[in-house]
Amino acid sequence: MVDSVFIEGTGCECDVTLDRWLKDTLPMLPGVVRGVASRELVLASREFFERSYAWQTLLEDQNAKEGRKQYWLSPLDQYTNVIGVLGVAYLGKPLARLTARPPRRSTTESQSTPMAYYSPDAPDSIELYPDLDHDEDAALTFHVALTPKVSVEHLPRVAEIKYYDAILDGFLARMYLHPNKPYSSFTLAQAKRKSFNAWIGRYAGQAKQGNVNAQNWVYPPGWGVRRRGGGTSVA
Amino acid sequence: MSTYADLISEARDFTQDAVSPFRNEDVFYIRHINRGLGEIGRLRPDAFYELFDANNLNIPVVVESDDPDSLVTPQVATTEEFQIDQMFYAPMLAYLIGMSEVQDDEFTDEGRAAMLLQQFRNTILGL
Protein backbone atom coordinates (compact mmCIF):
# COMPACT_ATOMS: atom_id res chain seq x y z
CA MET A 1 0.00 0.00 0.00
CA VAL A 2 1.40 3.34 -1.08
CA ASP A 3 0.13 6.45 0.65
CA SER A 4 -0.85 9.44 -1.47
CA VAL A 5 0.39 12.99 -1.11
CA PHE A 6 -1.59 15.63 -3.00
CA ILE A 7 0.32 18.64 -4.28
CA GLU A 8 -1.51 21.91 -4.87
CA GLY A 9 -0.41 24.90 -6.88
CA THR A 10 -2.00 28.25 -7.61
CA GLY A 11 -2.06 31.14 -10.01
CA CYS A 12 -1.96 29.62 -13.47
CA GLU A 13 -3.92 32.56 -14.85
CA CYS A 14 -6.54 30.86 -16.99
CA ASP A 15 -8.24 34.16 -17.73
CA VAL A 16 -8.35 34.35 -21.53
CA THR A 17 -11.84 33.96 -22.95
CA LEU A 18 -12.57 31.92 -26.06
CA ASP A 19 -14.31 34.82 -27.81
CA ARG A 20 -11.31 36.14 -29.71
CA TRP A 21 -10.61 32.83 -31.47
CA LEU A 22 -14.30 32.23 -32.10
CA LYS A 23 -14.82 35.69 -33.59
CA ASP A 24 -11.70 35.47 -35.75
CA THR A 25 -12.92 32.21 -37.24
CA LEU A 26 -16.48 33.33 -37.99
CA PRO A 27 -15.74 33.74 -41.72
CA MET A 28 -14.18 30.27 -41.90
CA LEU A 29 -17.01 28.33 -40.29
CA PRO A 30 -20.39 29.04 -41.91
CA GLY A 31 -23.25 27.13 -40.33
CA VAL A 32 -21.34 26.16 -37.22
CA VAL A 33 -23.07 25.62 -33.89
CA ARG A 34 -21.32 27.94 -31.45
CA GLY A 35 -21.35 25.47 -28.56
CA VAL A 36 -19.57 22.89 -30.71
CA ALA A 37 -16.99 25.46 -31.80
CA SER A 38 -16.26 26.47 -28.20
CA ARG A 39 -15.78 22.86 -27.23
CA GLU A 40 -13.46 22.08 -30.12
CA LEU A 41 -11.42 25.16 -29.28
CA VAL A 42 -10.81 23.94 -25.75
CA LEU A 43 -9.96 20.47 -27.06
CA ALA A 44 -7.53 21.91 -29.62
CA SER A 45 -5.90 23.94 -26.88
CA ARG A 46 -5.53 20.87 -24.69
CA GLU A 47 -4.08 18.89 -27.58
CA PHE A 48 -1.56 21.64 -28.22
CA PHE A 49 -0.33 21.77 -24.64
CA GLU A 50 -0.44 18.01 -24.18
CA ARG A 51 1.72 17.37 -27.26
CA SER A 52 4.10 20.30 -26.95
CA TYR A 53 4.67 20.58 -23.18
CA ALA A 54 4.86 24.29 -23.96
CA TRP A 55 3.19 25.35 -20.71
CA GLN A 56 5.43 24.58 -17.78
CA THR A 57 5.85 25.71 -14.21
CA LEU A 58 7.80 24.99 -11.04
CA LEU A 59 6.10 23.82 -7.87
CA GLU A 60 8.52 24.76 -5.16
CA ASP A 61 8.88 24.16 -1.45
CA GLN A 62 6.73 21.07 -1.30
CA ASN A 63 6.98 18.84 1.75
CA ALA A 64 8.62 15.44 1.40
CA LYS A 65 7.17 12.64 3.49
CA GLU A 66 8.70 9.65 5.21
CA GLY A 67 8.21 6.22 3.68
CA ARG A 68 6.93 5.17 0.31
CA LYS A 69 4.64 7.91 -0.95
CA GLN A 70 2.99 8.62 -4.26
CA TYR A 71 2.94 12.36 -4.98
CA TRP A 72 -0.13 13.35 -7.01
CA LEU A 73 0.11 16.65 -8.90
CA SER A 74 -3.26 16.88 -10.73
CA PRO A 75 -5.37 18.86 -10.52
CA LEU A 76 -2.94 21.69 -9.98
CA ASP A 77 -5.75 24.17 -9.47
CA GLN A 78 -9.34 24.56 -10.62
CA TYR A 79 -8.34 25.19 -14.25
CA THR A 80 -5.24 23.12 -14.73
CA ASN A 81 -3.96 19.56 -14.81
CA VAL A 82 -0.39 18.30 -14.75
CA ILE A 83 0.41 16.11 -17.76
CA GLY A 84 4.07 15.40 -17.17
CA VAL A 85 6.71 15.65 -14.46
CA LEU A 86 9.80 16.90 -16.25
CA GLY A 87 12.08 17.14 -13.25
CA VAL A 88 12.21 16.74 -9.49
CA ALA A 89 14.77 18.21 -7.13
CA TYR A 90 15.30 17.30 -3.49
CA LEU A 91 16.83 20.10 -1.42
CA GLY A 92 18.04 21.70 -4.61
CA LYS A 93 19.64 18.59 -6.04
CA PRO A 94 18.11 17.26 -9.27
CA LEU A 95 17.02 13.64 -9.08
CA ALA A 96 17.64 11.11 -11.82
CA ARG A 97 14.68 9.73 -13.76
CA LEU A 98 13.85 6.05 -13.73
CA THR A 99 11.43 4.26 -16.02
CA ALA A 100 10.18 2.11 -13.16
CA ARG A 101 10.81 1.35 -9.50
CA PRO A 102 13.92 -0.82 -9.15
CA PRO A 103 13.34 -4.38 -7.94
CA ARG A 104 12.91 -4.55 -4.17
CA ARG A 105 16.04 -5.35 -2.23
CA SER A 106 16.12 -7.54 0.83
CA THR A 107 17.49 -4.74 2.99
CA THR A 108 15.64 -1.57 3.80
CA GLU A 109 15.05 0.84 0.94
CA SER A 110 14.81 3.90 3.09
CA GLN A 111 17.58 6.40 3.33
CA SER A 112 18.04 10.02 4.13
CA THR A 113 18.32 11.27 0.55
CA PRO A 114 16.45 10.02 -2.52
CA MET A 115 18.48 9.58 -5.69
CA ALA A 116 15.78 9.26 -8.30
CA TYR A 117 12.10 9.45 -9.12
CA TYR A 118 9.78 7.54 -11.38
CA SER A 119 6.15 7.69 -12.46
CA PRO A 120 4.47 4.53 -11.18
CA ASP A 121 1.13 4.49 -12.96
CA ALA A 122 0.04 7.95 -14.10
CA PRO A 123 1.86 10.82 -15.81
CA ASP A 124 0.75 13.25 -13.12
CA SER A 125 2.21 11.30 -10.19
CA ILE A 126 5.67 10.29 -9.04
CA GLU A 127 7.40 8.35 -6.30
CA LEU A 128 10.88 8.97 -4.92
CA TYR A 129 13.54 6.29 -4.77
CA PRO A 130 14.80 5.20 -2.30
CA ASP A 131 12.04 6.08 0.14
CA LEU A 132 12.80 8.80 2.64
CA ASP A 133 13.49 7.78 6.23
CA HIS A 134 12.21 11.10 7.60
CA ASP A 135 9.90 14.01 6.81
CA GLU A 136 11.56 17.02 5.22
CA ASP A 137 9.58 20.25 4.87
CA ALA A 138 9.90 22.43 1.77
CA ALA A 139 12.35 19.97 0.26
CA LEU A 140 10.85 19.11 -3.10
CA THR A 141 10.67 21.09 -6.31
CA PHE A 142 8.62 19.76 -9.21
CA HIS A 143 9.09 20.94 -12.79
CA VAL A 144 5.83 20.09 -14.51
CA ALA A 145 4.04 20.50 -17.84
CA LEU A 146 0.45 21.72 -17.70
CA THR A 147 -2.71 21.59 -19.74
CA PRO A 148 -6.12 23.24 -19.28
CA LYS A 149 -8.74 20.95 -17.80
CA VAL A 150 -11.36 19.45 -20.10
CA SER A 151 -14.06 21.47 -18.37
CA VAL A 152 -12.57 24.96 -18.66
CA GLU A 153 -14.20 27.92 -20.40
CA HIS A 154 -11.05 30.01 -20.31
CA LEU A 155 -7.54 29.37 -21.56
CA PRO A 156 -4.18 30.25 -20.01
CA ARG A 157 -2.63 33.65 -20.63
CA VAL A 158 0.20 32.14 -22.69
CA ALA A 159 -2.33 30.71 -25.12
CA GLU A 160 -3.13 34.22 -26.33
CA ILE A 161 0.27 35.82 -25.87
CA LYS A 162 2.31 33.31 -27.83
CA TYR A 163 0.36 30.32 -29.06
CA TYR A 164 -2.64 32.08 -30.59
CA ASP A 165 -2.01 31.04 -34.21
CA ALA A 166 -1.05 27.52 -33.28
CA ILE A 167 -4.27 26.96 -31.38
CA LEU A 168 -6.24 28.64 -34.17
CA ASP A 169 -4.84 26.18 -36.72
CA GLY A 170 -5.49 23.21 -34.46
CA PHE A 171 -9.03 24.39 -33.86
CA LEU A 172 -9.75 24.83 -37.58
CA ALA A 173 -8.17 21.45 -38.38
CA ARG A 174 -10.61 19.80 -36.02
CA MET A 175 -13.59 21.77 -37.30
CA TYR A 176 -12.94 21.20 -41.01
CA LEU A 177 -12.76 17.47 -40.37
CA HIS A 178 -16.39 17.31 -39.18
CA PRO A 179 -18.47 15.24 -41.60
CA ASN A 180 -21.38 16.70 -43.58
CA LYS A 181 -21.32 20.25 -42.31
CA PRO A 182 -21.45 23.43 -44.39
CA TYR A 183 -17.89 24.12 -43.28
CA SER A 184 -16.51 20.59 -43.83
CA SER A 185 -13.34 20.51 -45.90
CA PHE A 186 -10.97 17.57 -45.82
CA THR A 187 -8.37 19.47 -47.84
CA LEU A 188 -8.37 22.46 -45.49
CA ALA A 189 -8.36 20.11 -42.50
CA GLN A 190 -5.19 18.47 -43.78
CA ALA A 191 -3.52 21.82 -44.42
CA LYS A 192 -4.43 23.13 -40.98
CA ARG A 193 -3.38 19.89 -39.30
CA LYS A 194 -0.01 20.06 -41.02
CA SER A 195 0.44 23.64 -39.86
CA PHE A 196 -0.68 22.73 -36.34
CA ASN A 197 1.85 19.91 -36.18
CA ALA A 198 4.59 22.28 -37.32
CA TRP A 199 3.64 24.78 -34.60
CA ILE A 200 3.76 22.01 -32.01
CA GLY A 201 7.24 20.94 -33.11
CA ARG A 202 8.46 24.52 -33.02
CA TYR A 203 7.08 25.33 -29.60
CA ALA A 204 8.06 21.96 -28.11
CA GLY A 205 11.61 22.75 -29.15
CA GLN A 206 11.44 26.20 -27.62
CA ALA A 207 9.99 24.79 -24.42
CA LYS A 208 12.87 22.33 -24.14
CA GLN A 209 15.19 25.32 -24.19
CA GLY A 210 13.20 26.95 -21.42
CA ASN A 211 11.87 29.54 -23.91
CA VAL A 212 15.13 31.46 -23.42
CA ASN A 213 17.24 29.51 -25.90
CA ALA A 214 19.11 27.80 -23.06
CA GLN A 215 20.97 24.53 -23.56
CA ASN A 216 18.49 21.76 -22.96
CA TRP A 217 20.85 19.26 -21.34
CA VAL A 218 22.96 18.96 -18.23
CA TYR A 219 25.70 16.60 -17.19
CA PRO A 220 24.18 13.71 -15.26
CA PRO A 221 24.70 14.32 -11.51
CA GLY A 222 27.00 11.28 -11.11
CA TRP A 223 29.56 12.52 -13.60
CA GLY A 224 32.71 14.14 -12.33
CA VAL A 225 35.50 15.91 -14.17
CA ARG A 226 38.53 13.66 -14.59
CA ARG A 227 42.08 14.29 -15.59
CA ARG A 228 43.20 13.01 -18.96
CA GLY A 229 44.81 9.60 -18.67
CA GLY A 230 42.48 8.18 -16.11
CA GLY A 231 41.96 8.38 -12.38
CA THR A 232 44.30 9.43 -9.64
CA SER A 233 45.19 5.97 -8.29
CA VAL A 234 48.23 5.40 -10.50
CA ALA A 235 51.38 6.92 -9.11
CA MET B 1 -37.24 34.66 -30.60
CA SER B 2 -39.62 32.65 -32.75
CA THR B 3 -41.83 29.92 -31.34
CA TYR B 4 -43.07 26.65 -32.78
CA ALA B 5 -46.45 28.38 -33.18
CA ASP B 6 -44.74 31.04 -35.32
CA LEU B 7 -43.32 28.27 -37.46
CA ILE B 8 -46.81 26.88 -38.04
CA SER B 9 -48.18 30.33 -38.74
CA GLU B 10 -45.47 31.07 -41.33
CA ALA B 11 -46.03 27.70 -42.98
CA ARG B 12 -49.75 28.46 -43.25
CA ASP B 13 -48.95 31.75 -45.00
CA PHE B 14 -46.92 29.94 -47.65
CA THR B 15 -49.52 27.21 -48.19
CA GLN B 16 -52.44 29.65 -48.39
CA ASP B 17 -53.96 27.96 -45.35
CA ALA B 18 -54.05 30.83 -42.88
CA VAL B 19 -57.81 31.29 -42.65
CA SER B 20 -60.15 29.01 -40.73
CA PRO B 21 -61.51 26.49 -41.55
CA PHE B 22 -58.03 25.16 -42.24
CA ARG B 23 -57.23 22.49 -44.77
CA ASN B 24 -54.64 21.17 -42.34
CA GLU B 25 -55.13 21.35 -38.59
CA ASP B 26 -52.32 22.36 -36.24
CA VAL B 27 -51.76 18.73 -35.31
CA PHE B 28 -50.68 18.05 -38.90
CA TYR B 29 -47.97 20.71 -38.70
CA ILE B 30 -46.94 19.64 -35.22
CA ARG B 31 -46.48 16.07 -36.40
CA HIS B 32 -44.22 17.25 -39.21
CA ILE B 33 -42.30 19.63 -36.97
CA ASN B 34 -41.43 16.60 -34.88
CA ARG B 35 -40.45 14.61 -37.98
CA GLY B 36 -38.34 17.55 -39.15
CA LEU B 37 -36.59 17.91 -35.83
CA GLY B 38 -35.85 14.20 -35.99
CA GLU B 39 -34.32 14.66 -39.44
CA ILE B 40 -32.16 17.52 -38.19
CA GLY B 41 -31.10 15.30 -35.29
CA ARG B 42 -30.04 12.61 -37.74
CA LEU B 43 -28.22 14.90 -40.18
CA ARG B 44 -26.92 17.57 -37.80
CA PRO B 45 -26.83 16.16 -34.27
CA ASP B 46 -24.68 19.15 -33.31
CA ALA B 47 -27.81 21.30 -33.62
CA PHE B 48 -28.92 19.80 -30.32
CA TYR B 49 -25.57 20.29 -28.61
CA GLU B 50 -27.00 22.48 -25.87
CA LEU B 51 -29.89 20.07 -25.22
CA PHE B 52 -27.70 16.98 -24.89
CA ASP B 53 -28.09 15.31 -21.52
CA ALA B 54 -27.68 11.82 -20.08
CA ASN B 55 -26.22 10.47 -23.34
CA ASN B 56 -29.31 11.61 -25.24
CA LEU B 57 -29.84 14.32 -27.85
CA ASN B 58 -33.18 15.19 -26.22
CA ILE B 59 -34.75 16.21 -29.50
CA PRO B 60 -37.82 18.24 -28.51
CA VAL B 61 -41.24 16.64 -28.93
CA VAL B 62 -43.70 19.41 -29.73
CA VAL B 63 -47.23 18.88 -28.39
CA GLU B 64 -50.41 20.90 -28.17
CA SER B 65 -50.96 21.74 -24.56
CA ASP B 66 -52.97 24.21 -22.50
CA ASP B 67 -50.73 23.56 -19.52
CA PRO B 68 -47.07 23.75 -20.62
CA ASP B 69 -45.88 23.39 -17.03
CA SER B 70 -47.26 19.86 -16.91
CA LEU B 71 -45.10 18.66 -19.80
CA VAL B 72 -42.12 16.41 -19.21
CA THR B 73 -38.84 16.95 -21.06
CA PRO B 74 -38.35 16.59 -23.99
CA GLN B 75 -42.01 17.56 -24.54
CA VAL B 76 -42.54 21.24 -25.31
CA ALA B 77 -45.65 23.27 -26.06
CA THR B 78 -46.11 25.06 -29.38
CA THR B 79 -45.89 28.34 -27.48
CA GLU B 80 -42.29 27.58 -26.49
CA GLU B 81 -39.35 29.14 -28.27
CA PHE B 82 -37.72 27.28 -31.14
CA GLN B 83 -35.01 25.70 -29.01
CA ILE B 84 -32.17 25.17 -31.45
CA ASP B 85 -30.10 27.77 -33.28
CA GLN B 86 -32.14 30.14 -35.46
CA MET B 87 -30.14 29.09 -38.52
CA PHE B 88 -32.17 25.88 -38.46
CA TYR B 89 -35.47 27.79 -38.46
CA ALA B 90 -35.60 28.47 -42.22
CA PRO B 91 -34.75 24.87 -43.18
CA MET B 92 -37.42 23.71 -40.73
CA LEU B 93 -39.91 26.02 -42.42
CA ALA B 94 -38.98 24.64 -45.84
CA TYR B 95 -39.49 21.11 -44.52
CA LEU B 96 -42.88 21.98 -43.09
CA ILE B 97 -44.12 23.63 -46.28
CA GLY B 98 -42.67 20.83 -48.39
CA MET B 99 -44.45 18.16 -46.38
CA SER B 100 -47.63 20.17 -46.57
CA GLU B 101 -47.30 20.40 -50.35
CA VAL B 102 -46.73 16.64 -50.57
CA GLN B 103 -50.00 15.82 -48.85
CA ASP B 104 -52.21 18.69 -49.95
CA ASP B 105 -54.43 17.11 -52.61
CA GLU B 106 -56.04 20.39 -53.68
CA PHE B 107 -52.92 22.38 -54.40
CA THR B 108 -50.30 19.73 -54.83
CA ASP B 109 -47.37 20.86 -56.85
CA GLU B 110 -44.96 17.97 -56.76
CA GLY B 111 -42.09 19.99 -58.15
CA ARG B 112 -42.41 22.56 -55.41
CA ALA B 113 -42.59 19.92 -52.69
CA ALA B 114 -39.48 18.16 -53.96
CA MET B 115 -37.67 21.48 -54.28
CA LEU B 116 -38.54 22.48 -50.70
CA LEU B 117 -37.54 19.15 -49.21
CA GLN B 118 -34.27 19.28 -51.13
CA GLN B 119 -33.76 22.82 -49.89
CA PHE B 120 -34.24 21.60 -46.32
CA ARG B 121 -31.50 19.05 -46.76
CA ASN B 122 -29.16 21.36 -48.65
CA THR B 123 -29.38 24.22 -46.19
CA ILE B 124 -28.57 22.17 -43.13
CA LEU B 125 -25.74 20.23 -44.76
CA GLY B 126 -24.22 22.72 -47.17
CA LEU B 127 -23.86 26.32 -48.17
Side-chain angles (χ1 to χ4, degrees):
Chain A
M1 180 68 182
V2 183
D3 294 333
S4 295
V5 178
F6 297 96
I7 304 294
E8 287 186 30
T10 54
C12 284
E13 298 185 45
C14 274
D15 55 2
V16 177
T17 67
L18 308 179
D19 286 0
R20 195 175 299 273
W21 281 277
L22 295 175
K23 189 173 182 183
D24 281 352
T25 51
L26 275 178
M28 291 92 142
L29 299 170
V32 72
V33 173
R34 308 311 301 170
V36 174
S38 300
R39 189 76 200 122
E40 285 286 27
L41 177 55
V42 171
L43 295 178
S45 171
R46 291 190 72 257
E47 182 184 354
F48 173 77
F49 288 114
E50 194 274 325
R51 290 177 58 197
S52 69
Y53 280 13
W55 186 20
Q56 301 176 8
T57 194
L58 283 180
L59 305 174
E60 298 178 292
D61 299 332
Q62 303 295 327
N63 298 335
K65 302 292 185 184
E66 179 188 354
R68 185 172 177 182
K69 301 287 188 239
Q70 188 168 4
Y71 294 86
W72 289 93
L73 296 119
S74 281
L76 187 69
D77 60 22
Q78 66 184 111
Y79 305 112
T80 317
N81 278 331
V82 169
I83 46 165
V85 183
L86 307 178
V88 178
Y90 178 78
L91 294 175
K93 178 189 162 195
L95 304 182
R97 305 176 181 102
L98 301 176
T99 55
R101 187 178 180 86
R104 185 172 291 277
R105 296 178 301 201
S106 57
T107 55
T108 178
E109 291 189 302
S110 297
Q111 63 183 51
S112 60
T113 305
M115 297 182 300
Y117 76 95
Y118 60 97
S119 182
D121 53 16
D124 63 334
S125 73
I126 62 118
E127 291 182 25
L128 302 177
Y129 186 84
D131 305 329
L132 272 178
D133 59 9
H134 66 289
D135 286 347
E136 186 77 43
D137 289 346
L140 289 171
T141 300
F142 298 97
H143 177 205
V144 295
L146 307 173
T147 189
K149 280 186 178 180
V150 170
S151 55
V152 298
E153 293 178 353
H154 292 73
L155 296 180
R157 198 176 61 94
V158 288
E160 186 179 68
I161 291 175
K162 184 166 181 179
Y163 309 123
Y164 188 87
D165 291 315
I167 292 171
L168 190 79
D169 282 348
F171 166 56
L172 288 174
R174 285 170 164 267
M175 295 303 297
Y176 288 143
L177 209 52
H178 287 189
N180 289 327
K181 306 293 183 299
Y183 51 85
S184 299
S185 170
F186 186 65
T187 306
L188 283 175
Q190 282 184 311
K192 289 295 180 186
R193 173 58 64 175
K194 188 175 176 183
S195 171
F196 186 48
N197 288 341
W199 285 117
I200 288 173
R202 171 180 174 163
Y203 289 134
Q206 289 186 2
K208 283 179 182 170
Q209 295 180 306
N211 290 312
V212 292
N213 208 24
Q215 69 177 23
N216 59 5
W217 53 272
V218 293
Y219 286 109
W223 285 19
V225 178
R226 300 181 184 187
R227 287 190 302 116
R228 289 177 70 188
T232 57
S233 60
V234 178
Chain B
M1 290 286 284
S2 303
T3 64
Y4 294 104
D6 293 333
L7 197 56
I8 294 171
S9 175
E10 286 190 50
R12 286 192 184 285
D13 288 342
F14 280 99
T15 54
Q16 312 285 321
D17 190 18
V19 179
S20 183
F22 300 124
R23 292 197 309 283
N24 292 316
E25 295 301 322
D26 277 359
V27 67
F28 166 85
Y29 289 101
I30 290 170
R31 191 162 58 235
H32 287 298
I33 286 175
N34 289 328
R35 297 295 87 74
L37 289 171
E39 274 295 281
I40 293 176
R42 183 175 70 85
L43 297 168
R44 289 288 302 269
D46 54 323
F48 300 93
Y49 185 82
E50 303 295 344
L51 302 179
F52 183 90
D53 188 40
N55 199 20
N56 196 323
L57 279 184
N58 289 312
I59 297 172
V61 177
V62 183
V63 295
E64 267 188 310
S65 173
D66 296 328
D67 183 14
D69 293 337
S70 67
L71 299 178
V72 179
T73 304
Q75 289 183 324
V76 292
T78 51
T79 52
E80 294 288 314
E81 286 180 357
F82 190 67
Q83 290 163 292
I84 57 177
D85 197 299
Q86 283 292 304
M87 66 184 167
F88 295 104
Y89 187 87
M92 194 68 229
L93 184 60
Y95 181 85
L96 210 49
I97 301 167
M99 293 307 283
S100 176
E101 297 281 357
V102 165
Q103 88 103 38
D104 195 332
D105 57 5
E106 281 187 67
F107 297 96
T108 293
D109 180 337
E110 289 179 1
R112 199 157 77 151
M115 183 269 289
L116 286 161
L117 293 175
Q118 190 61 42
Q119 182 181 330
F120 164 76
R121 187 180 170 84
N122 288 347
T123 48
I124 62 173
L125 291 181
L127 295 174

